[in-house]
Coordinates of all heavy atoms in Angstrom, one line a residue:
K1 N 130.6 10.3 7.9 CA 129.2 10.1 7.8 C 128.6 10.7 9.1 O 129.2 10.6 10.2 CB 128.8 8.6 7.8 CG 129.2 7.9 6.5 CD 128.8 6.5 6.6 CE 129.1 5.8 5.3 NZ 128.7 4.4 5.3
I2 N 127.5 11.3 8.9 CA 126.8 11.9 10.1 C 125.9 10.9 10.7 O 125.3 10.0 10.0 CB 125.9 13.1 9.6 CG1 126.9 14.2 9.1 CG2 125.1 13.7 10.8 CD1 126.1 15.4 8.6
D3 N 125.8 10.9 12.0 CA 125.0 9.9 12.7 C 123.5 10.0 12.2 O 122.9 11.0 12.2 CB 125.0 10.2 14.2 CG 124.3 9.3 15.1 OD1 124.1 8.1 14.6 OD2 123.9 9.6 16.2
P4 N 122.9 8.8 11.8 CA 121.5 8.8 11.4 C 120.5 9.4 12.4 O 119.5 9.9 12.0 CB 121.3 7.4 11.0 CG 122.6 6.7 10.9 CD 123.5 7.5 11.8
G5 N 120.8 9.2 13.7 CA 119.9 9.7 14.7 C 119.8 11.2 14.7 O 118.7 11.8 14.9
V6 N 120.9 11.9 14.4 CA 120.9 13.3 14.3 C 120.0 13.8 13.1 O 119.3 14.7 13.2 CB 122.3 13.9 14.2 CG1 122.3 15.4 14.0 CG2 123.0 13.6 15.5
V7 N 120.2 13.1 12.0 CA 119.4 13.4 10.8 C 117.9 13.2 11.0 O 117.1 14.1 10.7 CB 119.9 12.6 9.6 CG1 119.0 12.8 8.3 CG2 121.4 12.9 9.3
A8 N 117.6 12.1 11.6 CA 116.2 11.8 11.9 C 115.6 12.8 12.8 O 114.4 13.3 12.6 CB 116.0 10.4 12.5
E9 N 116.3 13.2 13.8 CA 115.9 14.2 14.8 C 115.6 15.6 14.1 O 114.6 16.2 14.3 CB 116.9 14.4 15.9 CG 116.4 15.2 17.1 CD 117.4 15.1 18.2 OE1 117.8 14.0 18.6 OE2 117.7 16.2 18.7
A10 N 116.6 16.0 13.3 CA 116.4 17.2 12.5 C 115.2 17.2 11.6 O 114.5 18.2 11.5 CB 117.7 17.5 11.7
M11 N 115.0 16.1 11.0 CA 113.8 16.0 10.1 C 112.5 16.0 10.9 O 111.5 16.7 10.5 CB 113.9 14.7 9.3 CG 115.0 14.7 8.3 SD 115.2 13.2 7.3 CE 113.7 13.2 6.4
C12 N 112.5 15.4 12.0 CA 111.2 15.4 12.9 C 111.0 16.8 13.4 O 109.8 17.2 13.5 CB 111.4 14.4 14.0 SG 111.3 12.7 13.4
V13 N 112.0 17.4 13.9 CA 111.8 18.8 14.4 C 111.4 19.7 13.3 O 110.5 20.6 13.5 CB 113.1 19.3 15.1 CG1 113.0 20.8 15.5 CG2 113.4 18.5 16.4
G14 N 112.0 19.7 12.2 CA 111.6 20.5 11.0 C 110.2 20.3 10.6 O 109.4 21.2 10.4
N15 N 109.7 19.0 10.6 CA 108.4 18.7 10.3 C 107.4 19.3 11.3 O 106.4 19.8 11.0 CB 108.2 17.2 10.1 CG 106.8 16.8 9.7 OD1 106.3 17.4 8.7 ND2 106.2 15.8 10.4
F16 N 107.8 19.1 12.6 CA 106.9 19.7 13.7 C 106.8 21.2 13.6 O 105.7 21.7 13.8 CB 107.5 19.2 15.0 CG 106.7 19.9 16.2 CD1 105.4 19.5 16.4 CD2 107.2 20.9 16.9 CE1 104.7 20.1 17.4 CE2 106.5 21.5 17.9 CZ 105.2 21.0 18.2
I17 N 107.9 21.9 13.3 CA 107.8 23.3 13.2 C 106.8 23.7 12.1 O 106.0 24.6 12.3 CB 109.2 23.9 12.9 CG1 110.1 23.8 14.1 CG2 109.1 25.4 12.4 CD1 111.6 24.1 13.8
G18 N 106.8 23.0 11.0 CA 105.9 23.2 9.9 C 104.4 23.0 10.4 O 103.5 23.8 10.1
V19 N 104.2 21.9 11.1 CA 102.8 21.6 11.6 C 102.4 22.7 12.6 O 101.3 23.2 12.6 CB 102.8 20.2 12.2 CG1 101.5 20.0 12.9 CG2 102.9 19.2 11.0
A20 N 103.3 23.0 13.5 CA 103.0 24.0 14.6 C 102.7 25.4 14.0 O 101.9 26.1 14.6 CB 104.1 24.1 15.6
C21 N 103.3 25.7 12.9 CA 103.0 27.0 12.3 C 101.9 27.0 11.2 O 101.7 28.1 10.6 CB 104.3 27.6 11.7 SG 105.6 27.9 12.9
A22 N 101.3 25.9 11.0 CA 100.2 25.8 10.0 C 99.0 26.7 10.4 O 98.7 26.8 11.6 CB 99.8 24.4 9.8
R23 N 98.4 27.3 9.4 CA 97.2 28.1 9.7 C 96.0 27.3 10.1 O 95.2 27.7 10.9 CB 96.9 28.9 8.5 CG 97.9 30.0 8.2 CD 97.5 30.9 7.1 NE 96.2 31.5 7.4 CZ 95.4 32.0 6.5 NH1 95.7 31.9 5.2 NH2 94.2 32.6 6.8
T24 N 95.8 26.1 9.5 CA 94.8 25.2 9.8 C 95.3 23.8 10.0 O 96.3 23.5 9.4 CB 93.7 25.2 8.7 OG1 94.3 24.7 7.5 CG2 93.0 26.5 8.5
L25 N 94.7 23.0 10.9 CA 95.2 21.7 11.1 C 94.0 20.7 10.9 O 92.9 20.9 11.4 CB 95.7 21.5 12.5 CG 97.0 22.2 12.8 CD1 97.4 22.0 14.2 CD2 98.1 21.7 11.9
H26 N 94.3 19.7 10.1 CA 93.3 18.6 9.9 C 93.9 17.3 10.4 O 95.1 17.3 10.7 CB 93.0 18.5 8.4 CG 92.6 19.8 7.8 ND1 91.3 20.3 7.9 CD2 93.2 20.7 7.1 CE1 91.2 21.4 7.3 NE2 92.4 21.7 6.8
F27 N 93.1 16.3 10.5 CA 93.6 15.1 11.1 C 94.7 14.5 10.3 O 95.6 13.9 10.9 CB 92.4 14.1 11.2 CG 92.8 12.9 12.1 CD1 92.8 13.0 13.5 CD2 93.2 11.7 11.5 CE1 93.1 11.9 14.3 CE2 93.5 10.6 12.3 CZ 93.5 10.7 13.7
Q28 N 94.8 14.7 9.0 CA 95.9 14.1 8.2 C 97.2 14.7 8.6 O 98.2 14.1 8.5 CB 95.6 14.2 6.7 CG 95.5 15.6 6.2 CD 94.0 16.0 6.1 OE1 93.2 15.6 6.9 NE2 93.7 16.8 5.1
F29 N 97.2 16.0 9.1 CA 98.5 16.6 9.6 C 99.0 15.8 10.8 O 100.2 15.6 11.0 CB 98.3 18.0 10.0 CG 98.1 18.9 8.9 CD1 97.0 19.8 8.8 CD2 99.0 19.0 7.8 CE1 96.8 20.6 7.8 CE2 98.8 19.9 6.8 CZ 97.7 20.7 6.7
Y30 N 98.1 15.3 11.6 CA 98.5 14.5 12.8 C 99.2 13.3 12.4 O 100.2 12.9 13.0 CB 97.2 14.2 13.6 CG 97.5 13.6 15.0 CD1 98.5 14.1 15.8 CD2 96.8 12.5 15.5 CE1 98.8 13.5 17.0 CE2 97.0 12.0 16.7 CZ 98.0 12.5 17.5 OH 98.3 12.0 18.7
T31 N 98.8 12.7 11.3 CA 99.5 11.5 10.9 C 100.9 11.8 10.4 O 101.7 10.9 10.4 CB 98.7 10.8 9.7 OG1 98.6 11.7 8.6 CG2 97.3 10.4 10.2
W32 N 101.2 13.0 10.0 CA 102.5 13.4 9.6 C 103.5 13.4 10.7 O 104.7 13.3 10.5 CB 102.5 14.8 8.9 CG 101.8 14.8 7.6 CD1 101.2 13.8 6.9 CD2 101.5 16.0 6.8 NE1 100.7 14.2 5.7 CE2 100.8 15.6 5.7 CE3 101.8 17.3 7.0 CZ2 100.4 16.5 4.7 CZ3 101.4 18.2 6.0 CH2 100.7 17.8 4.9
Y33 N 103.0 13.7 11.9 CA 104.0 13.8 13.0 C 103.6 13.0 14.2 O 104.3 13.0 15.2 CB 104.2 15.3 13.4 CG 103.2 16.0 14.3 CD1 103.4 16.2 15.6 CD2 102.0 16.3 13.7 CE1 102.5 16.8 16.4 CE2 101.0 17.0 14.5 CZ 101.3 17.2 15.8 OH 100.3 17.8 16.6
F34 N 102.6 12.2 14.1 CA 102.2 11.3 15.3 C 103.3 10.4 15.7 O 103.6 10.3 16.9 CB 101.0 10.5 14.9 CG 100.7 9.4 15.8 CD1 100.0 9.7 17.0 CD2 101.0 8.1 15.6 CE1 99.7 8.7 18.0 CE2 100.7 7.1 16.5 CZ 100.1 7.4 17.7
F35 N 104.0 9.8 14.8 CA 105.0 8.8 15.1 C 106.3 9.5 15.6 O 107.2 8.8 16.1 CB 105.3 7.9 13.9 CG 104.1 7.0 13.6 CD1 103.3 7.2 12.5 CD2 103.8 5.9 14.5 CE1 102.2 6.4 12.3 CE2 102.7 5.1 14.2 CZ 101.9 5.3 13.1
S36 N 106.5 10.8 15.3 CA 107.7 11.5 15.8 C 107.4 12.1 17.1 O 108.4 12.6 17.7 CB 108.1 12.5 14.8 OG 107.1 13.5 14.6
L37 N 106.2 12.2 17.6 CA 105.9 12.8 18.9 C 106.8 12.2 20.1 O 107.3 13.0 20.9 CB 104.4 12.8 19.3 CG 103.6 13.9 18.8 CD1 102.2 13.7 19.1 CD2 104.1 15.2 19.3
P38 N 106.9 10.9 20.2 CA 107.7 10.4 21.3 C 109.2 10.9 21.2 O 109.7 11.3 22.3 CB 107.7 8.9 21.1 CG 106.4 8.6 20.4 CD 106.2 9.8 19.5
L39 N 109.7 11.0 20.1 CA 111.1 11.5 19.9 C 111.1 13.0 20.3 O 112.0 13.4 21.0 CB 111.6 11.3 18.5 CG 112.9 11.9 18.1 CD1 114.1 11.2 18.8 CD2 113.2 12.0 16.6
L40 N 110.2 13.7 19.8 CA 110.1 15.2 20.1 C 110.0 15.4 21.6 O 110.6 16.3 22.2 CB 109.0 15.8 19.3 CG 109.2 15.8 17.8 CD1 107.9 16.3 17.1 CD2 110.4 16.7 17.4
L41 N 109.1 14.7 22.2 CA 108.8 14.9 23.6 C 110.1 14.4 24.4 O 110.4 15.1 25.5 CB 107.6 14.1 24.1 CG 106.3 14.6 23.6 CD1 105.2 13.6 23.8 CD2 106.0 16.0 24.2
W42 N 110.7 13.4 24.0 CA 112.0 13.0 24.7 C 113.1 14.0 24.6 O 113.8 14.3 25.5 CB 112.4 11.6 24.2 CG 113.6 11.1 25.0 CD1 114.9 11.1 24.7 CD2 113.5 10.4 26.2 NE1 115.6 10.6 25.6 CE2 114.8 10.1 26.6 CE3 112.4 10.1 27.1 CZ2 115.1 9.5 27.8 CZ3 112.7 9.4 28.3 CH2 114.0 9.1 28.6
R43 N 113.2 14.6 23.4 CA 114.2 15.6 23.1 C 113.9 16.9 23.9 O 114.9 17.6 24.2 CB 114.2 15.8 21.6 CG 115.0 17.0 21.1 CD 116.4 16.6 20.9 NE 117.1 17.7 20.2 CZ 117.7 18.7 20.9 NH1 117.6 18.7 22.2 NH2 118.4 19.6 20.2
A44 N 112.7 17.1 24.2 CA 112.3 18.4 24.9 C 112.8 18.5 26.3 O 112.9 19.5 26.9 CB 110.8 18.5 24.9
R45 N 113.2 17.4 26.9 CA 113.8 17.4 28.3 C 112.8 18.0 29.3 O 113.2 18.7 30.2 CB 115.1 18.1 28.4 CG 116.1 17.7 27.3 CD 117.0 16.7 27.9 NE 118.0 16.4 26.8 CZ 119.1 15.7 27.0 NH1 119.4 15.3 28.2 NH2 119.8 15.4 26.0
L46 N 111.5 17.6 29.2 CA 110.5 18.0 30.1 C 110.4 16.9 31.2 O 110.7 15.8 30.9 CB 109.2 18.3 29.4 CG 109.1 19.4 28.4 CD1 107.9 19.3 27.6 CD2 109.2 20.7 29.1
P47 N 109.8 17.2 32.3 CA 109.5 16.2 33.3 C 108.5 15.1 32.6 O 107.7 15.5 31.7 CB 108.7 16.9 34.4 CG 109.1 18.3 34.3 CD 109.4 18.6 32.8
T48 N 108.7 13.9 33.0 CA 107.9 12.8 32.4 C 106.4 13.1 32.4 O 105.7 12.8 31.5 CB 108.3 11.5 33.0 OG1 109.7 11.3 32.9 CG2 107.5 10.3 32.4
A49 N 105.9 13.6 33.6 CA 104.5 13.8 33.7 C 104.0 14.9 32.7 O 102.9 14.8 32.1 CB 104.2 14.3 35.1
C50 N 104.9 15.9 32.4 CA 104.6 16.9 31.4 C 104.6 16.3 30.0 O 103.7 16.7 29.2 CB 105.5 18.1 31.6 SG 105.2 19.5 30.5
R51 N 105.5 15.4 29.7 CA 105.5 14.8 28.4 C 104.3 14.0 28.2 O 103.7 14.1 27.1 CB 106.7 13.9 28.3 CG 108.1 14.5 28.3 CD 109.2 13.5 28.3 NE 110.5 14.1 28.5 CZ 111.5 13.5 28.8 NH1 111.5 12.2 29.1 NH2 112.7 14.1 28.9
V52 N 103.9 13.2 29.1 CA 102.7 12.4 29.0 C 101.4 13.3 28.9 O 100.6 13.0 28.0 CB 102.5 11.4 30.2 CG1 101.2 10.7 30.1 CG2 103.7 10.4 30.2
A53 N 101.4 14.4 29.6 CA 100.2 15.3 29.6 C 100.2 16.0 28.2 O 99.1 16.1 27.6 CB 100.3 16.3 30.7
L54 N 101.3 16.4 27.7 CA 101.3 17.0 26.3 C 100.9 16.0 25.3 O 100.1 16.3 24.4 CB 102.7 17.5 26.0 CG 103.1 18.9 26.5 CD1 104.5 19.2 26.2 CD2 102.2 19.9 25.8
W55 N 101.4 14.8 25.3 CA 101.0 13.8 24.4 C 99.5 13.5 24.4 O 98.8 13.4 23.4 CB 101.8 12.5 24.6 CG 101.3 11.4 23.7 CD1 101.7 11.2 22.4 CD2 100.4 10.3 24.0 NE1 101.1 10.1 21.9 CE2 100.3 9.6 22.8 CE3 99.7 10.0 25.1 CZ2 99.4 8.5 22.8 CZ3 98.9 8.9 25.1 CH2 98.8 8.1 23.9
A56 N 99.0 13.3 25.7 CA 97.5 13.1 25.8 C 96.7 14.2 25.4 O 95.6 14.1 24.7 CB 97.2 12.7 27.3
A57 N 97.1 15.5 25.6 CA 96.4 16.6 25.2 C 96.3 16.8 23.7 O 95.3 17.1 23.1 CB 96.9 17.9 25.9
I58 N 97.5 16.5 23.1 CA 97.5 16.6 21.6 C 96.6 15.5 21.0 O 95.8 15.8 20.1 CB 99.0 16.5 21.1 CG1 99.7 17.7 21.5 CG2 99.0 16.2 19.6 CD1 101.2 17.6 21.2
E59 N 96.6 14.3 21.5 CA 95.8 13.2 21.1 C 94.3 13.6 21.3 O 93.5 13.4 20.4 CB 96.1 12.0 21.9 CG 95.3 10.8 21.5 CD 95.7 10.1 20.2 OE1 96.8 10.3 19.7 OE2 94.8 9.5 19.6
F60 N 94.0 14.2 22.4 CA 92.6 14.6 22.7 C 92.1 15.7 21.7 O 91.0 15.6 21.2 CB 92.5 15.2 24.1 CG 91.2 15.8 24.5 CD1 90.1 15.0 24.8 CD2 91.1 17.2 24.5 CE1 88.9 15.6 25.1 CE2 89.9 17.8 24.8 CZ 88.8 17.0 25.1
C61 N 93.0 16.6 21.4 CA 92.6 17.7 20.5 C 92.3 17.2 19.1 O 91.3 17.7 18.5 CB 93.7 18.7 20.4 SG 94.0 19.7 21.9
F62 N 93.1 16.3 18.6 CA 92.8 15.8 17.3 C 91.6 14.8 17.2 O 91.1 14.6 16.1 CB 94.0 15.1 16.7 CG 95.0 16.1 16.0 CD1 96.1 16.5 16.6 CD2 94.7 16.6 14.8 CE1 97.0 17.4 16.0 CE2 95.5 17.5 14.1 CZ 96.7 17.9 14.7
N63 N 91.2 14.3 18.3 CA 90.1 13.3 18.3 C 88.8 14.0 18.8 O 87.8 13.3 18.8 CB 90.4 12.1 19.2 CG 91.4 11.2 18.6 OD1 91.3 10.9 17.4 ND2 92.4 10.8 19.3
R64 N 88.8 15.2 19.2 CA 87.6 15.9 19.6 C 87.1 16.8 18.5 O 87.8 17.8 18.1 CB 87.9 16.8 20.8 CG 86.7 17.5 21.3 CD 87.0 18.2 22.7 NE 85.9 19.1 23.0 CZ 84.9 18.7 23.8 NH1 84.9 17.5 24.3 NH2 84.0 19.6 24.1
T65 N 85.9 16.5 18.0 CA 85.4 17.3 16.9 C 83.9 17.5 17.2 O 83.3 16.8 18.0 CB 85.5 16.5 15.5 OG1 84.9 15.3 15.6 CG2 86.9 16.4 15.1
N66 N 83.3 18.4 16.4 CA 81.9 18.7 16.6 C 81.1 17.7 15.7 O 81.7 16.8 15.1 CB 81.5 20.1 16.3 CG 81.9 20.5 14.8 OD1 82.0 19.7 14.0 ND2 81.9 21.8 14.6
A67 N 79.8 17.9 15.5 CA 79.0 17.0 14.8 C 79.4 16.9 13.3 O 79.2 15.9 12.6 CB 77.5 17.3 14.9
Q68 N 79.9 18.0 12.8 CA 80.3 18.1 11.4 C 81.7 17.5 11.1 O 82.2 17.5 10.0 CB 80.2 19.5 10.8 CG 78.8 20.0 10.7 CD 78.2 20.5 12.1 OE1 79.0 20.9 13.0 NE2 76.9 20.4 12.2
G69 N 82.4 17.1 12.2 CA 83.7 16.6 12.1 C 84.8 17.7 12.1 O 85.9 17.4 11.7
E70 N 84.4 18.9 12.5 CA 85.4 20.0 12.5 C 85.9 20.1 13.9 O 85.2 19.8 14.9 CB 84.7 21.3 12.1 CG 84.1 21.2 10.7 CD 83.2 22.4 10.4 OE1 82.7 23.0 11.4 OE2 82.9 22.6 9.3
P71 N 87.1 20.6 14.1 CA 87.7 20.8 15.4 C 86.9 21.9 16.2 O 86.4 22.8 15.6 CB 89.1 21.2 15.2 CG 89.2 21.6 13.7 CD 88.1 21.0 13.0
T72 N 86.8 21.7 17.5 CA 86.2 22.7 18.3 C 87.1 23.9 18.6 O 88.3 23.7 18.6 CB 85.7 22.1 19.6 OG1 86.8 21.6 20.4 CG2 84.7 20.9 19.4
P73 N 86.6 25.1 18.9 CA 87.5 26.2 19.2 C 88.4 25.9 20.4 O 89.5 26.3 20.5 CB 86.5 27.3 19.4 CG 85.3 27.0 18.7 CD 85.2 25.5 18.7
E74 N 87.8 25.2 21.4 CA 88.5 24.9 22.6 C 89.7 23.9 22.3 O 90.8 24.1 22.8 CB 87.6 24.3 23.7 CG 86.5 25.2 24.2 CD 85.3 25.2 23.2 OE1 85.2 24.3 22.4 OE2 84.5 26.1 23.4
G75 N 89.4 23.0 21.5 CA 90.4 22.0 21.1 C 91.5 22.6 20.3 O 92.7 22.3 20.5
A76 N 91.2 23.6 19.4 CA 92.2 24.3 18.6 C 93.1 25.1 19.5 O 94.3 25.2 19.3 CB 91.5 25.1 17.6
L77 N 92.5 25.8 20.5 CA 93.2 26.6 21.4 C 94.2 25.8 22.3 O 95.4 26.1 22.4 CB 92.3 27.4 22.3 CG 93.0 28.4 23.3 CD1 93.7 29.5 22.5 CD2 91.9 29.0 24.2
L78 N 93.7 24.6 22.7 CA 94.5 23.7 23.5 C 95.7 23.2 22.7 O 96.8 23.1 23.1 CB 93.7 22.6 24.1 CG 94.4 21.6 25.0 CD1 95.1 22.2 26.2 CD2 93.5 20.5 25.4
L79 N 95.4 22.8 21.4 CA 96.4 22.3 20.5 C 97.5 23.3 20.3 O 98.7 23.0 20.3 CB 95.8 21.8 19.2 CG 96.7 21.2 18.2 CD1 97.3 19.9 18.8 CD2 96.0 20.9 16.9
T80 N 97.1 24.6 20.1 CA 98.0 25.6 19.8 C 98.9 25.8 21.1 O 100.1 26.0 20.9 CB 97.3 26.9 19.5 OG1 96.5 26.7 18.3 CG2 98.3 28.1 19.2
A81 N 98.3 25.8 22.2 CA 99.1 25.9 23.5 C 100.1 24.7 23.6 O 101.2 24.9 24.0 CB 98.1 26.0 24.7
C82 N 99.6 23.5 23.3 CA 100.5 22.4 23.4 C 101.7 22.5 22.5 O 102.8 22.2 22.8 CB 99.7 21.1 23.2 SG 98.6 20.6 24.5
H83 N 101.4 22.9 21.2 CA 102.4 23.1 20.3 C 103.4 24.1 20.7 O 104.6 24.0 20.5 CB 101.8 23.4 18.9 CG 101.3 22.2 18.2 ND1 100.5 22.3 17.0 CD2 101.4 20.9 18.4 CE1 100.2 21.1 16.6 NE2 100.7 20.2 17.4
A84 N 102.9 25.2 21.3 CA 103.8 26.3 21.7 C 104.7 25.8 22.8 O 105.9 26.2 22.8 CB 102.9 27.5 22.2
V85 N 104.2 25.1 23.8 CA 105.0 24.5 24.9 C 106.1 23.6 24.3 O 107.2 23.7 24.7 CB 104.1 23.8 25.9 CG1 104.9 23.0 26.9 CG2 103.2 24.8 26.6
L86 N 105.7 22.7 23.5 CA 106.6 21.8 22.9 C 107.7 22.5 22.1 O 108.9 22.2 22.1 CB 105.9 20.7 22.1 CG 106.8 19.6 21.5 CD1 107.7 18.9 22.6 CD2 105.9 18.5 20.8
L87 N 107.3 23.4 21.3 CA 108.2 24.2 20.4 C 109.2 24.9 21.3 O 110.4 25.0 21.0 CB 107.4 25.1 19.5 CG 108.1 25.7 18.3 CD1 108.7 24.6 17.4 CD2 107.2 26.6 17.6
A88 N 108.7 25.6 22.4 CA 109.6 26.3 23.3 C 110.6 25.3 24.0 O 111.8 25.6 24.2 CB 108.8 27.1 24.3
A89 N 110.1 24.2 24.4 CA 110.9 23.2 25.1 C 112.0 22.7 24.1 O 113.1 22.4 24.5 CB 110.1 22.1 25.6
L90 N 111.6 22.5 22.8 CA 112.6 22.0 21.9 C 113.7 23.1 21.6 O 114.8 22.8 21.4 CB 111.9 21.6 20.5 CG 111.1 20.3 20.6 CD1 110.3 20.2 19.3 CD2 112.0 19.1 20.7
W91 N 113.2 24.3 21.6 CA 114.1 25.5 21.4 C 115.2 25.6 22.5 O 116.3 25.8 22.3 CB 113.3 26.8 21.3 CG 114.2 28.0 21.1 CD1 114.7 28.8 22.1 CD2 114.7 28.5 19.9 NE1 115.4 29.8 21.5 CE2 115.4 29.6 20.1 CE3 114.5 28.1 18.5 CZ2 116.0 30.4 19.1 CZ3 115.1 28.8 17.5 CH2 115.9 30.0 17.9
M92 N 114.7 25.3 23.7 CA 115.6 25.4 24.9 C 116.4 24.2 25.2 O 117.3 24.2 26.0 CB 114.8 25.8 26.1 CG 114.2 27.2 26.0 SD 113.4 27.7 27.5 CE 111.9 26.7 27.5
A93 N 116.1 23.1 24.5 CA 116.8 21.8 24.7 C 118.3 21.9 24.2 O 118.5 22.6 23.2 CB 116.1 20.7 24.0
P94 N 119.2 21.3 24.9 CA 120.6 21.3 24.3 C 120.7 20.6 23.0 O 119.9 19.7 22.7 CB 121.4 20.5 25.4 CG 120.4 19.7 26.1 CD 119.0 20.4 26.0
L95 N 121.5 21.2 22.2 CA 121.7 20.6 20.8 C 122.4 19.2 20.9 O 123.2 19.0 21.8 CB 122.6 21.5 20.0 CG 122.0 22.8 19.6 CD1 123.1 23.7 18.9 CD2 120.8 22.7 18.7
P96 N 122.0 18.3 20.0 CA 122.6 17.0 20.1 C 124.1 17.1 19.6 O 124.4 17.9 18.8 CB 121.8 16.1 19.1 CG 121.2 17.1 18.2 CD 121.0 18.4 19.0
R97 N 124.9 16.2 20.1 CA 126.2 16.1 19.6 C 126.2 15.5 18.2 O 125.6 14.4 18.0 CB 127.1 15.3 20.5 CG 127.4 15.9 21.8 CD 128.4 15.0 22.5 NE 128.8 15.6 23.7 CZ 129.7 15.1 24.5 NH1 130.4 14.1 24.2 NH2 130.0 15.8 25.6
V98 N 126.9 16.2 17.3 CA 127.0 15.6 15.9 C 128.3 14.7 15.9 O 129.4 15.3 16.1 CB 127.1 16.7 14.9 CG1 127.3 16.1 13.5 CG2 125.9 17.6 14.9
R99 N 128.1 13.5 15.8 CA 129.2 12.5 15.7 C 129.5 12.2 14.2 O 128.6 11.8 13.5 CB 128.9 11.3 16.5 CG 128.7 11.5 18.0 CD 128.4 10.2 18.7 NE 127.2 9.6 18.3 CZ 126.0 9.8 18.9 NH1 125.9 10.7 20.0 NH2 124.9 9.2 18.5
V100 N 130.7 12.5 13.8 CA 131.0 12.2 12.5 C 131.9 10.9 12.5 O 132.9 10.8 13.2 CB 131.9 13.4 11.9 CG1 132.3 13.0 10.4 CG2 131.1 14.6 11.9
K101 N 131.4 9.9 11.7 CA 132.1 8.7 11.6 C 133.0 8.7 10.4 O 132.7 9.2 9.3 CB 131.1 7.5 11.5 CG 130.1 7.4 12.6 CD 129.1 6.3 12.4 CE 128.1 6.3 13.5 NZ 127.1 5.3 13.3
A102 N 134.2 8.1 10.6 CA 135.1 8.0 9.5 C 134.5 7.1 8.4 O 134.0 6.0 8.7 CB 136.4 7.5 10.0
A103 N 134.7 7.5 7.2 CA 134.2 6.6 6.1 C 135.0 5.4 5.9 O 136.1 5.2 6.2 CB 134.2 7.5 4.8

C-alpha cells in the first residue's frame, strides 16, 4: 500500500497546477484549493515569513474585486505572481519518500 499522505499531496499539487494554469480565475476556483494551501506552502520549503505572505496575498487577491464583483487587474497580476512563486517552489522541493507498506 502507498502512504495516503503521498497520494493526498500528489492530488493537491495536481489540482494546484490546474488552477495556476487556468486562463481565468473565479472565486469558486479558490474553494477548490483553499484547504490544500497550507499543505502546498509547507511542501514548498519556503521561509515561514514567505509562506505566510504568499497565503495572505492569495487571500487578498481573491477577496479584492471592483464594484461589479470582478477581479481587479492588479489583483490578477499579484495572484499570477503568487502562483508562479509557489509553483516554482513546489518544483524545486525535494520529492517525498514513497513508503510502501506490506499488505
Side-chain angles (χ1 to χ4, degrees):
K1 294 182 178 182
I2 297 176
D3 183 24
V6 173
V7 174
E9 190 173 309
M11 291 177 69
C12 290
V13 171
N15 185 46
F16 175 70
I17 290 170
V19 170
C21 295
R23 287 185 60 201
T24 61
L25 289 177
H26 306 281
F27 193 77
Q28 60 265 35
F29 289 126
Y30 190 41
T31 62
W32 291 355
Y33 77 108
F34 169 77
F35 293 105
S36 65
L37 271 177
L39 174 71
L40 296 171
L41 291 167
W42 186 261
R43 171 87 172 84
R45 309 265 179 168
L46 295 168
T48 302
C50 187
R51 291 176 186 164
V52 172
L54 275 174
W55 176 80
I58 290 171
E59 180 75 22
F60 172 79
C61 292
F62 273 104
N63 287 314
R64 180 172 170 95
T65 58
N66 62 18
Q68 291 79 27
E70 300 166 343
T72 61
E74 299 83 13
L77 183 62
L78 179 60
L79 183 63
T80 302
C82 290
H83 282 169
V85 168
L86 183 53
L87 198 56
L90 288 168
W91 179 266
M92 294 185 290
L95 293 173
R97 287 187 178 188
V98 177
R99 294 182 296 268
V100 179
K101 298 176 185 176

